[in-house]
Amino acid sequence: MERPTGSRRRRGYGGIDAPSNVSTSARSSDSEDLPTEHSQRAGATIIPPSPWNLHNYAIVTVMTIIAFGLRFYKLNHPDQVAFDEVHFGKFASYYITGEYYFDVHPPFAKLLLGLAGWFVGYDGSFEFETIGDSYTAAHVPYVGLRALPAFLGSLTVPLVYMIMLESGYPTLVAAFSTVLILLGELDNGHIGQTRLILLDAQLIFFVTLSLYTYVKFRKVRYLEFTPVWWGWLCATGVALACSLGCKMVGLFTFFTIGTAVLVDLWEVLDVRKEGHTMDYFYKHFIARTVGLIILPAIVYLSFFWVHFALLPKSGTGDAFMSPAFQETLRNNELLMNSQEIRYYDTITIKHKETKVFLHSHPEQYPLRYDDGRVSSQGQQVTGYNHDDVNNHWIVVPTKALPETGRGRIVRHEDIIQLTHVATDTKLLTHDVASPLMPTNTEFTTVSHDEARGERYNDTLFQVQIDDADPGQAWKSKSGHFKLIHMPTRVALWTHPKPLPEWAFKQQEINGNKKVHEKSNIWYVNEVVAVEGGGEDVRNRTGQVATKEPSKMNFFKKFAELQFLMLQHNAGLTAHHPYASSPLNWPFLLSGISFWTDNEKEEQVYLIGNIVGWWTCVMALSIYTGVIAADLLARRRGTYPIPYTVRNRLWNNAGFFFIAWAFHYFPFYLMNRQLFLHHYLPAHVASALAAGAVYDFIFSELNNFPISYPGPKTRARRPTRSDIFKVPAAITLTILTVLMFAMFLFIAPLTYGTPTLTGEAVNRRRLLSSWTLHFAAKKTTMD
Amino acid sequence: MPSNPGEVALEIDSPTESPRASSEFEEVSYPTWSQPRAEEELPLHYMGEDKARRRVKGAQAAPESTVMFDADSPTEYDQGDDGGKDVYAKLRQHQTPVSRMRRTSAPPTSVSEFIQQNLEHLPPAIYTLLSCWTRFHDIGKSPYVVWDEAHFGKFGSHYLKREFYFDVHPPLGKMLVGLAGLLSGYNGNYEFKSGEQYPDDVPFVAMRVMLATFGVAMVPLGWYTAVELGMSRRACHLVALMVLCDVAWLAISRFILLDSMLLFFTFLTVYCLTKFNNQQHEPFSFDWWTWLSFTGLSIGMVCSVKWIGLFVTALVGVYTIEDLWEKFGDLKMPVRTYIRHWVARAGCLIGLPIIVYLISFKLHFLILNHSGPGDAQMSSLFQAHLVGNDFSRSPLEAAYGSRVTLKNMGWGGGLLHSHVQTYPVGSSQQQVTCYHYKDENNDWVFLPRWEEPEYNPNGELQFVKHGDVLRLSHFSTGRNMHSHAIPAPVTKTAYEVSGYGNQTIGDSHDYWMVEVVDDIRRGHRNNFETIHTLTTRLRFKHWKLGCYLRAANAVLPQWGFKQIEVSCEKEDNPRDEHTYWNIESHINDRLPPAEITHIRSPFFRDFWHLNVAMMTSNNALIPDPDKEDILASKPFDWPWLHLGLRMCGWGDNQTKYYLLGTPVIWWSGTASLGISLVVFVVYLLRMQRKYVDFAPGEWDHFLYVGKIALFGWCFHYLPFLIMGRVTYVHHYLPALYFSVLMVAHLIDHFFLSARSLSERTKWAVFAFCVISIVGTFWWFRGVAFGIDGPINDHKGLGWRKSWNIYSL
C-alpha cells in the first residue's frame, strides 16, 4: 500500500514545505534530459556521440562470428528427430503439403520453418513420428531446417550487444552481457535450444528485437512525430507482433513494453512538465495505440491469414475444429460425407468426446445395485465403441409428415423418438437414478405399446443442434447436437467410467441435468439406411458427389482457432518426466533430455552454462538489494546514489528487470506443464540486467546524454563512463574464461557428441538433480 | 452506480490556459506561499457531514487548494517529490483526533441527560434489537439436523463426552459449540446424523440461539466500524442495514455452524483495526494500547475458529507495514520511538494471536482426555495418555511373529497400511499407504527371511534387534511389503512400495533391515538390545535397494482414497523424521502385557503434530473429478451470486433453507469494487493534471477507507482462485463484508457527503438505497427463515436461471 505519488506530489507542490534541502542531485524526476522551453541554447545542443566506433564494430563482428560458429558446428548431428522436432518439424512439413494441422502456438515461427524447408527443397513427406527417427535414411534436408533457428539464434547475440550499447553502456558492459548470452546462450541452454527445429530461437530473437527497437524509440523521444520516431515506434510494434506470432509468451513482451509506455505516457500527462495540453497528450496516446496495438494486431492477424491460405486441405487438425470450419477444408470427411437426415432413416449416433456409439442390447439392468439402490430393470442402454447392429436407431417423427420432399428432413429443435432397430424398442429416460450416478437419470427402452401409451411422454426427445439457426437441417457428421429429454430437460450424456460386468464394461449412458456442458454433444456418425432401404443415401438430395469447400469469414476462423489454442494450451497438464517448476529455472536445477542414442551412448541434454546463469541470478539479487536500499535510504532523507546513475539504474536497468520479471513470474500462475526452455527469454533479459548491474558496480559515471536532442532540449554537460578500469576488465576476463571452460566441459551434452564414458557423464552431473543418461552405475549396496 | 457528473466526470483537460474563475468544486489560484492557517487543519474525521469531505470552497482555501502549473518557477518540480522530506509530520496534522478526546463530560444527573449523552448509540441499539429478531425469529422451525450441523454439532458433542476427535478446523469455534451445548444442558450423546430429526433431549434451539448471538453482534459491529471509518451518519445506516438484511449472513448464523463465529471475529478484527487507526495520533496512550492488543486478540480468535482468519490477518499485516513505512519516513521521530512501534506491533499483532491460538489448543487437549475417533492422527505417546487407551497393556518387546501397527513419527504421520486395491500406475501391485484411522488393515507381522527357517509359533521366542533383516507381512492380505526400482506414484524421485507375493511367494525385494535410531526412554541405541513398543524409534531400510521407508504427507489421488503415499527414499537422510517409525499397538499372545506408564509427549509437539495433520487433511479436500458435488461452487460463481446452495432436503413437507445472498447487496458490492478502481484511476489522472478535488487529508482518508475495503476483499477472495481445495458459497461471506463497506464508502463519497448535492437529493438517494435493501430482504426472507410447503408455490424467487431454488 505505497502511498500513491499523486497525493504526495500535490502536497509537496502546494508549497506547504519549502524545498530547501533537496539538492539537484537528488531530483527524482525520471527524465534524464529535462527539456525546458526556457533554454537559451536550444538548437545549439550537443549531439550525443554515436556509441559506435571501430572497436565496437570489431567486437560485435567477432562475437557474431563465434555465435555462428558455435551454433552451426555439427549442426547435422544428431541426424535424428530430437525432442519437440517431432511436432514442429511435422508442422513445417504441413505448410509444404498444405494439410491443415492444429497447434497451441501461433503460426509465425512455424511459417518461417516452413519457408526454410521450402527454400531448401524439402517436399514435406517426412512424418517426424518419434524421437530418434533417422533423417538421413529419409533424405530430409534437415540441416536446412535447423539452419533457420541457428541463424536467428546467432543473430540474437549481436542484438544483445547493440541493446547494451544503445542503452548508453560502455563497450565493456555490452561485452559483459553479450558474453553471458554468447557463452550463456551460446552456452548450452541457448545453443541447445537454437540448434534444433524448434520455435524458441525465433521467439527469443524477436523478443530481443522488441527490446532493441523500443530502446531505440526511447532514444529519439525528443524528436517526436518525426519519421525516425515513427519508424522505431512501428518497428517495435512489428517486432512485438512477431514475438507473439511465435508463441503466446510474446504476450509478456507486450506487457513489458506496455509498462514502459504507460510510465512514458504518465510523464507526458504531467502538467508540471512544459504544461503540455491535452491535445498533445492525445496525440501521443493515439500514436502509441496505433504503433503498439493496432499495427501489431494487423501483423498478427496476417500471420493467421497466411496460415489459413497455406493450409487449404484436410489434415490432422480437422478434428479440433468446428464442423463449419471443417467444411472449408478440401477433401474433409465432413464435407464429403455429411448428409441431411430424414425421418425414418436408420442412423448411428456417436458421442463427440469419448467416441462411443449409443448402444442397446436385450440384457436388463440388475434390480439392485451394490450400493442398495434399485433400478427400473429396463433394457440396458450403454455406450459401446465398436460398430455393431445394436448401434442402429431409427428416427421417428412426432408430427405429421408430407409424403415426400424436404418436409421429411429432421430440423433443429424437432421433437423425435428413437427406435432401437435390433430389439424394436423405443429409447426413453425417466426419473430413476442411473447405475453409477445417483444424480443423473437412467436411460432404457420400452416396447412400442408402452411407448404409445403411458410412457409416451418419456420417449420424447428434442434435437438441439449446436450453434444452429432455427429450422436448420440435421446433418450427419457435421450436425453436432444435444438430445434433450422433453419432460425432465436432461441431456443424453456419457462418461468414460465403465459399468460393471453385467453391462460388459460398456460405458454408462445417463441423463445429465447440467444441460449446458460441452460433453453433452453427440453427432450422427452415419446414415446406415434410408426409409425402405431403396435409394442411395448419397444421391438422395440430388447433389453432386464432389463438393467444393464452403467459405468462412476469416475473422470467425481466426477467433475459433485462437480460442482453441488458448484452451488446449491450458489443458497441457499431463505429467512429463522433464517438466520442471519455474523455481528450478534460474538456478538450473534441472534440464531436459532432448535426444539419446542408446547404441553410441550419446545424448543431447538441454542445460545452461551454470556460471553464466548463476551470475545472472546474482546480478538480479544485487539489483533488488540496491533498489531496496535506495528506497529505504531516501525514506530516511539520504540520497546515496548520484542522480544520473540512479536514473539509469531505475529506468534502464529497471526496464530490463521488468522484462525479466514479466517473462518469468507469470509462469508461476500457469497450471500447464513447464520446461526449462520457457525461461530462455527471461534469461536474455536477466543477462541485460546483469550488464547494468556490472556497470553500476564498477562505474561512477554514465555515458550521458544518449538520447537524441529535440528542438526544446536543454543542453547539459555530457559525461563519459569511467568503467575502463582494471578490476572491471579482470572481472570480465575471469567470467569469460570460466564460462568458456564450463562451456567446453558441458559441450558434449549440447552437441550430442563425442560419446562420454559413464564416469565422464557422472562428472558432468554438476548438480545432483540433473538426470543424465548413461551414467556409470554406482557399485551396488551390500 | 449513478454518479454526479460534476464531480467525477473525467475532465482531463489542459488547465494551462488560465486559472479557472469559479468552478463549483475547484478554485484555483496562484500560490501565496502563506502557511496554512489553523482552521484549515481541523480534524476531518468524525465531523458532521456538513464539514467533513467538503470540497474546498472559496478563496481562503487557496494555499491548500494549490497552484496551477507555473512556468516561471521551475524549482517547483522538486516539490512534487517529497521523498526525503518529513511526510509524516504533514500527515499527522491531518490525522487529528478522530474519535474525539476521551469524553470528559460530567456524569448524567437525570435520565434525559443520560439519553442526550448517549443519543449516538440509539440507532445501533435499535439495529441490534432488529438483528435479534431476524436472527432468532422462528429459529427452531426445522427440528432436523440442517447441513453442516451434522459435523459441528457432533464435534461439540465430543467436547461434552471429552473424546478425542480430529477435524481440519482449529478448535475454538467447536469448543464454543460445545460450551453452548453445555449451557443448554445437552448431554453430548446425540449423533447428529445429517437430515435426522432432533430427539427431545437435544436442546438444539438453545444451542442455535447461543450461536446466533454471534450473528446478532455483527450488526452493531458493522455500525461502529462505519462510524470509526469516518462515514457520514447515513452511510453508517447503510452499512448496518446491509449487514442486517443480507439473507446469506442471516441464514448461516441461524444454525449450529462455525460461520457465525468466523464472521463475528472477522468483523471484530476490522472494528478493532479501525478503532486503533483512530488512536494513531496519540501513540502509546492507554487507548492506543487497548485497541492494538484487542486487534491482536481478535486476530487470535478468528484464526482459532477457521484458518480463513489468516486473510483478515493479512489485511491487518498490510495496514501495519504501510503504517510502519510511513513512520520510517518520519525523520523527526526518534529511532527509539520507532523501534518501540515495531516492538509494540510485533508483540500485540504476532505474539498475542499466537498465544490465543496456543491456548485454544491447550484447552482442546485438556478437555479431550478420552480416547475417541481421532486418536490415530496423533503420535503414539499422545494416545497412550488418553483415558480408555490400552497401549500400555500391549507387550513391551517386539519379537518375530508379533502383530504390530507401525506409526510414522513425522509431523502428521499415520499408520502403515495396505489394502487389496492395487496401484493403477507403476507396478500395479497392492497399495501400501499411510492411514489415519484404526483398522485391521494396519496390522503387520514380523517374519524371518525366506532363506531362514519359517517362523514357528511354538519355537523359541526370538526378539527383533537392531540390524535384523526381516519381512513385513500384511496381516489381513498376507502380502509382503515390497519395493522395487519403479518410481512412486506421487514422489517420482523415490521408489514405489507395494504389497507383493504371499506366505510362500516372494523374493529378496521383500527384505527390510531394521535400524534403531534411539529410544525415547532409554536413550542411545547402544544402551539396549530389544525394541520397545511406542518408545523405540526405528527406520526400515530396503535391503536390496538401500532406500528408506518414508511417508511424508504426500496425498494419493482418489484411487488411493486420499491416503498418504508411502515410498522408499533413495537418499539416506538420518535426521528425516518422516522415515522414523514406532510400534504403536502390539499383539503377541506369547508375551505378557507390560503395565507401564509412558512419558507424556510435550504440548508443543502435540500442537505442531495436530496442525500438520490438519494441513494435510485440508490439502486432501480437493474436488474429486469423478464425483459430482452439486453443493460445491467455483469462486467465480460468487461475486455475481451465480449459485445458491440447498442447505437441506427439498421435499414438499420439509422446511427448506437456501443459502443465497440478498441480490442487491451482493451485486452492488461487486460493482462497487470495480467502480472503486475506476474512480481511483480517474482521480489519479486528474491529480496528474493538477486538478484539486480534495481538501487536505481528504484524499488520504478516502484512500484509507477504500484500501481497507478493497484489500480486505481481495485477501478474502483471490486466494480461493488458486486454492486447490473444494469451495462453497459460504466461503465468500467474509469477503462480502468488505464489498459492503465499499458500497457504503462510494455512496457516501458521491452522494451522502457530496458538497454539491442538496439535502433533498441526499435523502432521496438514501431512501432509495434503504428501500431497495429492505425490500429485497423482505422478498427473500423465506430462504433464511425457512420455506414450508412445495417450493414451486413460492413464486418470484428465481431471479437467476442458475439458482436451483425450484425443483424441476
Side-chain angles (χ1 to χ4, degrees), chain B residues 14-222:
Chain B
S14 166
T16 44
E17 279 87 75
S18 70
R20 291 171 184 231
S22 62
S23 164
E24 195 189 357
F25 55 87
E26 179 181 300
E27 195 66 31
V28 172
S29 62
Y30 287 95
T32 58
W33 299 108
S34 66
Q35 285 302 308
R37 274 178 279 166
E39 60 261 36
E40 281 146 21
E41 299 289 334
L42 278 177
L44 283 156
H45 315 267
Y46 213 81
M47 298 195 300
E49 301 158 36
D50 50 338
K51 279 192 194 161
R53 323 186 127 274
R54 173 177 297 249
R55 281 166 199 265
V56 185
K57 230 178 217 167
Q60 305 97 307
E64 299 292 334
S65 80
T66 227
V67 188
M68 295 316 303
F69 167 73
D70 183 355
D72 293 328
S73 49
T75 45
E76 280 174 25
Y77 295 156
D78 296 318
Q79 295 169 23
D81 167 46
D82 47 18
K85 282 174 288 170
D86 183 4
V87 181
Y88 196 71
K90 276 181 284 171
L91 194 75
R92 234 180 350 210
Q93 290 172 344
H94 305 312
Q95 281 189 350
T96 5
V98 171
S99 62
R100 60 251 115 125
M101 289 84 256
R102 308 201 104 225
R103 204 173 276 275
T104 48
S105 55
T109 52
S110 67
V111 175
S112 63
E113 211 178 303
F114 175 80
I115 292 174
Q116 277 296 317
Q117 282 183 10
N118 290 291
L119 209 54
E120 59 174 308
H121 297 294
L122 188 62
I126 293 172
Y127 280 121
T128 313
L129 289 177
L130 285 173
S131 164
C132 285
W133 180 75
T134 56
R135 263 62 174 176
F136 297 149
H137 171 70
D138 236 352
I139 198 167
K141 189 173 183 184
S142 175
Y144 295 93
V145 179
V146 173
W147 201 38
D148 276 357
E149 284 188 347
H151 297 299
F152 300 116
K154 191 167 62 200
F155 295 142
S157 311
H158 284 302
Y159 285 103
L160 297 175
K161 289 188 287 183
R162 310 191 68 177
E163 289 172 352
F164 195 84
Y165 72 93
F166 173 77
D167 180 37
V168 295
H169 299 299
L172 180 66
K174 290 163 295 183
M175 284 198 285
L176 288 172
V177 174
L179 182 67
L182 186 72
L183 292 177
S184 48
Y186 166 53
N187 59 11
N189 285 328
Y190 181 59
E191 280 282 317
F192 282 94
K193 286 223 178 78
S194 186
E196 211 176 61
Q197 184 161 7
Y198 283 107
D200 292 340
D201 62 336
V202 179
F204 68 97
V205 178
M207 287 172 78
R208 282 183 188 170
V209 165
M210 283 184 215
L211 297 175
T213 312
F214 288 102
V216 171
M218 284 158 62
V219 178
L221 274 178

Side-chain angles (χ1 to χ4, degrees), chain B residues 638-641 665-675 713 732 739 743:
Chain B
W638 304 335
W640 297 107
L641 204 54
I665 298 174
W666 286 53
W667 293 340
S668 64
T670 308
S672 72
L673 294 163
I675 292 170
W713 185 83
Y732 186 65
S739 68
V743 176

Side-chain angles (χ1 to χ4, degrees), chain A residues 1-4 6-9 11-17 19 21 26-28 38 266 269-272 274-278 282 437 439-440 513-514 575 631-632 634-637 639 781-782, chain B residues 12-16 33 35 63-64 66-71 76-84 87 90 318 322 325-326 328-331 492 628 684-685 687-690 699-700 703 707 711:
Chain A
M1 290 199 193
E2 179 49 309
R3 186 167 297 281
S7 69
R8 284 168 41 186
R9 290 215 164 135
R11 272 203 315 278
Y13 191 60
I16 295 168
D17 273 357
N21 57 345
R27 299 160 75 106
S28 77
H38 299 284
W266 186 249
L269 191 67
D270 189 352
V271 78
R272 279 182 316 229
E274 295 199 69
H276 294 312
T277 61
M278 278 312 280
Y282 288 139
M437 301 173 78
T439 49
N440 290 13
K513 290 188 177 118
K514 295 180 181 167
H575 176 76
L631 279 177
L632 288 175
R634 292 175 72 82
R635 194 79 192 146
R636 294 302 295 174
Y639 302 87
M781 324 292 299
D782 47 333
Chain B
I12 307 174
D13 201 348
S14 166
T16 44
W33 299 108
Q35 285 302 308
E64 299 292 334
T66 227
V67 188
M68 295 316 303
F69 167 73
D70 183 355
E76 280 174 25
Y77 295 156
D78 296 318
Q79 295 169 23
D81 167 46
D82 47 18
V87 181
K90 276 181 284 171
V318 170
E322 194 207 4
W325 177 251
E326 291 291 344
F328 187 66
D330 180 4
L331 298 182
K492 304 275 180 193
E628 211 175 349
L684 272 191
L685 288 173
M687 280 176 183
Q688 187 77 344
R689 297 302 290 174
K690 293 290 133 343
W699 168 248
D700 290 331
L703 216 52
K707 279 189 289 194
F711 278 81

Side-chain angles (χ1 to χ4, degrees), chain A residues 387-407:
Chain A
D387 213 352
D388 176 327
V389 287
N390 273 332
N391 302 337
H392 293 180
W393 300 84
I394 294 176
V395 188
V396 179
T398 57
K399 58 176 184 189
L401 290 184
E403 284 295 309
T404 52
R406 299 192 59 78

Side-chain angles (χ1 to χ4, degrees), chain B residues 176-459:
Chain B
L176 288 172
V177 174
L179 182 67
L182 186 72
L183 292 177
S184 48
Y186 166 53
N187 59 11
N189 285 328
Y190 181 59
E191 280 282 317
F192 282 94
K193 286 223 178 78
S194 186
E196 211 176 61
Q197 184 161 7
Y198 283 107
D200 292 340
D201 62 336
V202 179
F204 68 97
V205 178
M207 287 172 78
R208 282 183 188 170
V209 165
M210 283 184 215
L211 297 175
T213 312
F214 288 102
V216 171
M218 284 158 62
V219 178
L221 274 178
W223 168 276
Y224 284 114
T225 307
V227 169
E228 292 301 324
L229 285 173
M231 292 190 190
S232 69
R233 196 46 65 102
R234 276 177 292 219
C236 296
H237 279 283
L238 284 185
V239 171
L241 267 177
M242 286 193 270
V243 177
L244 176 69
C245 291
D246 184 72
V247 281
W249 276 335
L250 177 58
I252 207 89
S253 314
R254 288 163 57 93
F255 299 101
I256 305 174
L257 303 172
L258 301 188
D259 298 81
S260 59
M261 291 172 252
L262 175 73
L263 288 166
F264 169 76
F265 287 122
T266 308
F267 281 42
L268 184 65
T269 310
V270 178
Y271 173 68
C272 293
L273 179 68
T274 53
K275 198 79 190 167
F276 169 69
N277 181 63
N278 290 341
Q279 313 301 330
Q280 288 270 26
H281 62 278
E282 214 179 336
F284 308 111
S285 63
F286 178 77
D287 282 1
W288 188 91
W289 277 111
T290 310
W291 289 107
L292 182 60
S293 42
F294 275 5
T295 312
L297 289 177
S298 179
I299 288 175
M301 301 279 197
V302 71
C303 292
S304 310
V305 173
K306 277 190 180 183
W307 280 347
I308 300 284
L310 288 173
F311 298 155
V312 77
T313 314
L315 177 67
V316 177
V318 170
Y319 168 85
T320 310
I321 289 169
E322 194 207 4
D323 185 29
L324 289 172
W325 177 251
E326 291 291 344
K327 293 191 165 56
F328 187 66
D330 180 4
L331 298 182
K332 295 202 186 96
M333 182 184 287
V335 177
R336 266 173 170 288
T337 315
Y338 187 63
I339 292 172
R340 274 182 78 195
H341 274 292
W342 268 90
V343 172
R345 280 164 181 80
C348 291
L349 300 180
I350 300 174
L352 272 183
I354 291 178
I355 290 171
V356 171
Y357 191 70
L358 286 173
I359 288 175
S360 71
F361 273 87
K362 184 72 194 174
L363 284 174
H364 179 71
F365 290 139
L366 284 178
I367 296 173
L368 303 178
N369 61 357
H370 287 59
S371 172
D375 285 12
Q377 291 282 356
M378 300 301 291
S379 68
S380 304
L381 278 183
F382 178 86
Q383 295 178 46
H385 279 276
L386 293 174
V387 179
N389 180 285
D390 56 356
F391 286 173
S392 51
R393 283 201 296 282
S394 52
L396 188 62
E397 296 174 326
Y400 283 91
S402 281
R403 181 175 151 195
V404 297
T405 61
L406 292 166
K407 173 89 179 175
N408 186 281
M409 298 196 74
W411 300 117
L415 292 162
L416 190 67
H417 179 96
S418 183
H419 40 229
V420 289
Q421 281 79 10
T422 54
Y423 287 112
V425 293
S427 67
S428 300
Q429 291 170 4
Q430 182 168 308
Q431 294 173 18
V432 173
T433 65
C434 236
Y435 189 49
H436 280 113
Y437 296 91
K438 294 191 175 173
D439 143 337
E440 196 152 82
N441 276 330
N442 299 338
D443 289 356
W444 299 83
V445 182
F446 289 129
L447 290 177
R449 278 176 287 170
W450 297 113
E451 56 266 26
E452 287 178 0
E454 206 179 321
Y455 169 67
N456 178 2
N458 302 317

